[in-house]
């Protein structure tokens, strides 16, 4: 039996210490160190024996490997074009978001062309087969096993040599090299390290399913995010049928790519025209609503921004933001007061991105301020209006990347007028849409109030 040693590992950053201490010196957090018994053999072992040889970078041969398609255009988009052999992909999300359903669909569809292995540690094989039949998926060539022991999984892995291996989930796995319960910091780290080592050695695509905490972050040690090649989060709430896949780390493609899916009785169905699902607006024109064009990954999306300004009954004004950053909303309200002349300090302000999408870029600033102004002054904005632009602290409207592509997307969906930063206004008129370039917030508000 391999000798083992006891270390204390920080659950936030993964740094280990020979003895317990109250604060982690690396990340500065308190009371995050937990005792882990680690096998020396697993800590010394590398991916393969030949990888330890000293080489000159210019002499390393580069082999162009073709990516493996997941048979889903939206999933391939988030991955950067498909699965890379020998890579480790981590998919996480809230319970019921559709992680297991999506991966079961992928495994069943690619099993006709590639050898696959689906390892479940939380369900029985009968439950997996029942879900596959309910979704109407092909099951003849899918290899499955119910196991939580990493050593047994690696042994089976070597015998069947799959091109794609799914582990559902990493928190349910354990290795015999350390003595702790499954799901602990040490077990998650060592189990993931053993599986990733096997994937690199066999040139197999490894897909890990991870749990999340109640705050929505990845459960387990933060070092797990550094060990894998691609990290994908599935966003979606129980009362919303749409799910968004967003990559926050990708060594083989662009980050912040977004894939849109719809959760149906037949599984996760990809949405080919995402802008259409976020534009299901009411035919009745009402104040506080405007369409903005945000850039997600490598494509534009049209999303409706809503705002509601109301009297604060208890005398303590609230700022509620759904889909937008809370701190940025507070900053924009201060800009609106200073450079727009609208005092909403004694009002409740609620903003919402329709469709459950999370907007992270600053191009939504102008749309939010126009929606707030519309609700505050009870002025409905035209249904055919679209806008985008970043607003600075001095009230200037700053340009955003890919302005022409955003305008073309708006024109394609029938919008007739756009309010954009002056630097994003095209030199030549665009067919079917009138573009108004503004350089100050006061100018944009004057354009709206003049109609």
């Amino acid at each position: 039996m391999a000798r083992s040693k006891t270390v204390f590992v920080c659950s936030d950053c993964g740094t280990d210490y020979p003895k317990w201490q109250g604060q982690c010196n690396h990340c500065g957090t308190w009371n995050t160190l937990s005792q882990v018994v680690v096998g020396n053999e697993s800590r010394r072992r590398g991916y393969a024996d030949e990888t330890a040889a000293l080489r000159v970078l210019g002499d390393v041969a580069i082999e162009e490997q073709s990516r493996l398609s997941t048979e889903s255009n939206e999933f391939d988009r988030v991955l950067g074009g498909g699965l890379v052999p020998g890579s480790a992909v981590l998919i996480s999300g809230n319970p019921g978001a559709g992680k297991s359903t999506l991966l079961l669909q992928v495994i069943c569809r690619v099993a006709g062309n590639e050898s696959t292995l689906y390892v479940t540690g939380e369900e029985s094989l009968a439950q997996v087969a029942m879900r596959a039949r309910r979704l109407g998926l092909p099951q003849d060539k899918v290899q499955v096993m119910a196991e939580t022991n990493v050593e047994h999984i690696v042994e089976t892995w070597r015998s069947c040599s799959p091109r794609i291996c799914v582990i559902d989930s990493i928190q349910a796995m354990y290795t015999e090299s350390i003595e702790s319960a499954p799901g602990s910091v040490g077990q998650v780290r060592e189990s993931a390290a053993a599986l990733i080592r096997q994937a690199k050695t066999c040139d197999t695509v490894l897909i890990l399913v991870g749990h999340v905490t109640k705050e929505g972050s990845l459960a387990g040690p933060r070092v797990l995010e550094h060990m894998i090649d691609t990290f994908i989060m599935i966003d979606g709430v129980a009362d919303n049928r749409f799910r968004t896949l967003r990559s926050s780390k990708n060594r083989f493609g662009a980050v912040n790519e977004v894939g849109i899916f719809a959760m149906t009785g037949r599984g996760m169905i990809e949405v080919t025209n995402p802008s259409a699902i976020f534009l299901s607006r009411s035919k009745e024109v009402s104040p506080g609503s405007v369409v903005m064009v945000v850039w997600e990954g490598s494509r534009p999306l049209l999303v409706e921004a809503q705002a509601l300004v109301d009297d604060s009954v208890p005398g303590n004004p609230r700022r509620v933001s759904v889909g937008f950053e809370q701190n940025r909303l507070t900053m924009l309200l201060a800009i609106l007061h200073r450079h727009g002349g609208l005092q909403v300090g004694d009002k409740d302000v609620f903003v919402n991105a329709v469709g459950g999408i999370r907007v992270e870029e600053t191009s939504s600033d102008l749309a939010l301020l126009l929606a707030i102004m519309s609700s505050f002054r009870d002025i409905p904005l035209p249904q055919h209006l679209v806008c985008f632009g970043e607003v600075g602290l001095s009230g200037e409207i700053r340009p955003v990347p890919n302005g022409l592509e955003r305008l073309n997307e708006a024109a394609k969906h029938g919008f007739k007028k756009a309010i954009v930063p002056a630097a994003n206004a095209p030199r030549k008129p665009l067919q079917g849409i009138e573009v108004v370039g503004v350089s100050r917030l006061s100018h944009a508000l004057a354009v709206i109030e003049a109609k």
Side-chain angles (χ1 to χ4, degrees), residues 261-400:
F261 289 84
M263 176 63 78
T264 66
R266 304 296 294 178
M268 298 274 280
I269 307 299
E270 59 181 341
V271 178
T272 57
N273 187 10
S275 295
I277 67 174
F278 300 122
L279 292 179
S280 55
R281 309 177 70 187
S282 173
K283 295 183 179 179
E284 181 181 354
V285 181
S286 58
S289 173
V290 68
V291 174
M292 57 186 176
V293 188
V294 297
W295 194 266
E296 293 290 350
S298 59
R299 62 181 173 184
L301 289 180
L302 273 69
V303 182
E304 181 185 357
Q306 292 182 335
L308 175 62
V309 180
D310 196 11
D311 294 333
S312 179
V313 177
N316 184 18
R318 291 183 295 170
R319 304 289 184 258
V320 179
S321 177
V322 179
F324 299 97
E325 186 181 356
Q326 182 77 26
N327 292 334
R328 193 159 190 88
L329 172 62
T330 305
M331 182 188 71
L332 290 176
L333 293 178
I335 297 173
L336 185 63
H337 175 222
R338 180 67 178 270
H339 302 285
L342 271 70
Q343 172 59 268
V344 294
D346 58 344
K347 304 288 185 180
D348 290 335
V349 180
F350 307 88
V351 295
N352 175 44
V354 177
I357 193 170
R358 188 175 71 252
V359 180
E360 296 183 345
E361 67 162 359
T362 58
S363 65
S364 61
D365 292 351
L366 182 58
L368 271 182
L369 292 180
L370 294 183
I372 293 172
M373 185 279 300
S374 173
S375 177
F376 179 75
R377 295 188 172 174
D378 200 23
I379 302 176
L381 300 178
Q383 287 273 43
H384 60 269
L385 175 67
V386 68
C387 60
F388 59 84
E390 179 183 353
V391 181
L393 290 178
S394 59
E396 77 278 12
I397 308 297
R398 296 179 175 270
V400 297

Side-chain angles (χ1 to χ4, degrees), residues 34-37 148 150 170-191 220-221:
S34 58
Q35 183 177 352
V36 176
V37 180
T148 56
V150 172
I170 187 60
Q171 278 80 10
M173 302 296 140
Y174 74 95
T175 175
E176 298 176 352
S177 62
I178 61 177
E179 298 176 358
S180 59
S184 62
V185 173
Q187 283 289 0
V188 171
R189 187 176 70 168
E190 293 299 317
S191 298

Side-chain angles (χ1 to χ4, degrees), residues 82-100:
L83 297 167
V84 177
S87 63
V89 180
L90 176 62
I91 297 181
S92 184
N94 293 322
K99 304 181 296 294
S100 301

